Amino acid sequence: MAKGKGARVSIVLECISCVQTNVNKKSTGISRYITQKNRHNTPSRLELRKFCPYCYKHTIHEEIKK
């Protein structure tokens, strides 16, 4: 009796201000966080405000495809 796919799936959150504008030219990186979400409760893409060490402020991080 094999179990089906679980409801929890791991996702990657990426800073949208680093990707879109490259505001800080001296920084060489994109802030990414790894977390989990319940696919049944949140079927849409996840957006969270997290701290970006490259922008030096709290920005919106969006879920990206792996």
Side-chain angles (χ1 to χ4, degrees):
M1 289 190 205
K3 293 184 179 179
K5 284 189 173 181
R8 291 241 159 236
V9 62
S10 61
I11 60 168
V12 178
L13 300 174
E14 185 175 72
C15 178
I16 60 172
S17 66
C18 287
V19 174
Q20 291 177 350
T21 59
N22 282 336
V23 172
N24 200 352
K25 298 293 183 188
K26 64 183 174 184
S27 70
T28 58
I30 297 171
S31 175
R32 289 190 174 160
Y33 286 93
I34 299 173
T35 187
Q36 292 183 342
K37 77 170 186 177
N38 190 323
R39 124 178 46 178
H40 298 300
N41 294 339
T42 53
S44 60
R45 290 189 177 251
L46 192 62
E47 287 186 355
L48 294 174
R49 276 185 55 108
K50 306 282 277 178
F51 181 77
C52 177
Y54 301 105
C55 297
Y56 301 110
K57 58 184 175 181
H58 283 85
T59 58
I60 296 175
H61 286 65
E62 283 186 338
E63 178 181 342
I64 61 169
K65 288 187 177 181
K66 286 186 179 179

